Amino acid sequence: MLFKSKLPDVGTTIFTVMSRRALEEGALNIGQGFPDYPIDPRLAGFVQEAIDAGHNQYAPMEGVIELRSQIAAKLKACYGAEFDPIQEITITCGGTEALYDAIQAVIGAGDEAIIFDPAYDSYEPAVRLAGGRCIRVPLEPPAFAYDWDRVREALSPRTRLIIINNPHNPSCTVASSADLDALADLVRDRPITILADEVYEHVIFDGRLHASVLAHVELRRRSFVVFSFGKTLHATGWRTGYCVAPAEMTLELRKVHQFNTFSIVAPLQYAIARYVASCPESWQGLSAFFEAKRNLLIEWLRGSGFRPIKAAGTYFQLVDYGELSRKPDVEFADQLIREAKIATIPLSPFYHQVPRMTLLRICVAKRDETIQAAAQRLAAFKAQR
Ligand SMILES: Cc1ncc(COP(=O)(O)O)c(C=O)c1O
């Protein structure tokens, strides 16, 4: 090869590895986060209508104004704040592109970004491609609580970005408004931008309310906040997300976006705009929809030897297999694929320094029959010991 790898240690993501192993072994895949049920037919119909109406050429670089206006109205309804659809909202290729663009906009050579382990896997490569480096602060299992003193210790004159993910994948915990206050205290007099990954904003359980950075008057002035219609509309393959940020920050994000993807699939944007406006119950009912699935999984795992750590948010659920095995999680997850024909996601690949733990992540964005089949296979694994 004629050039040096910029990410020599980066391999295939754990999601791809486990999904590939599931295929090889004919295992039921309840690891990777994607629904196995259809999208709302009304939404599918709106896409066809957008195509028939001729929305088939380049969308505007920032996103179609119909969608950005609907997002502004939705943000007002959810977080009680006004955002300018023209200057502060940008449609991106999923949440992933918004994260990447924000990181490229902020991070330069030698800059540092603080991220929390277990960390969603796209953050660090994006920081490194921008020439920066990640300082990783662990969230210790089983509570995965923020230790703001440790974050303070991790700050340096080079810190330019703190990335916070709430609700948090893969720990399935949520940050409180006290956490956001602690974060605001830390960055108050420092040149630090916040990147808030809130793709699971509508999946939060047991009556909790989502503490969005957008509802935090002080933090939102220095934040890029990232959302995903893939999660909200059960359509991860549509690759449609958005970023909300103050106008001067959005301007910088768009400089990256316009030479990255330029603009996002036009008919999907028109369809989503109509759907968000005419079917608000779709996102308003998401927490209840996934809470019911979480509860079913917990119920069906009773006596299986896999102890659920009740998820506070996201469409995942952690289970502790410590009663069944002391093997490292990657090894144990592979054993489950081979012997129980079930693919989960181990947690250690999301850590830089792996704490002692025996946890696997299961996705509950599945048909009830799939969740039941998964629970049965897990229970059978114990029975065969
Ligand atoms: C925490 C987190 N952030 C970002 C993303 C990416 O979202 P999208 O699929 O819209 O790119 C995901 C997807 O799984 C996620 O779990």
Side-chain angles (χ1 to χ4, degrees), residues 12 23 38 47 96 103 106 132-133 144 160 162 210 238 327 375:
T12 315
L23 268 180
V47 179
T96 307
I103 290 168
V106 174
R133 80 182 180 111
F144 298 99
R160 286 290 162 274
I162 298 180
H210 174 48
W238 283 21
K327 278 188 183 158

Side-chain angles (χ1 to χ4, degrees), residues 87-101:
Q87 297 190 78
E88 297 182 313
I89 298 172
T90 309
I91 311 298
T92 57
C93 181
T96 307
E97 194 224 339
L99 292 166
Y100 185 83
D101 293 350

Side-chain angles (χ1 to χ4, degrees), residues 33 93-97 99 120 123 165 167 169 197 199-200 227-231 236 239-241 315-316:
C93 181
T96 307
E97 194 224 339
L99 292 166
Y120 184 66
Y123 305 152
N165 171 212
N169 172 23
D197 176 348
V199 298
Y200 298 104
F227 301 95
S228 169
F229 284 117
K231 311 294 175 192
T236 58
R239 313 302 304 125
T240 311
Y315 58 37
F316 302 106

Side-chain angles (χ1 to χ4, degrees), residues 21 29 72 87 92 100 108 168-169 209 269 308 310 335:
R21 289 287 296 130
N29 189 354
Q87 297 190 78
T92 57
Y100 185 83
H168 187 269
N169 172 23
L209 292 177
Q269 294 191 55
K310 204 173 188 186
Q335 183 182 359

Side-chain angles (χ1 to χ4, degrees), residues 75-90:
L75 292 171
K76 177 92 198 288
C78 292
Y79 305 122
E82 303 270 357
F83 296 92
D84 177 1
I86 301 194
Q87 297 190 78
E88 297 182 313
I89 298 172
T90 309

Side-chain angles (χ1 to χ4, degrees), residues 113-120 124 134-138 349-352:
I114 294 180
I115 66 174
F116 297 91
D117 278 356
Y120 184 66
E124 172 145 4
C134 283
I135 307 298
R136 306 180 72 125
V137 177
F350 298 89
Y351 274 94
H352 191 55

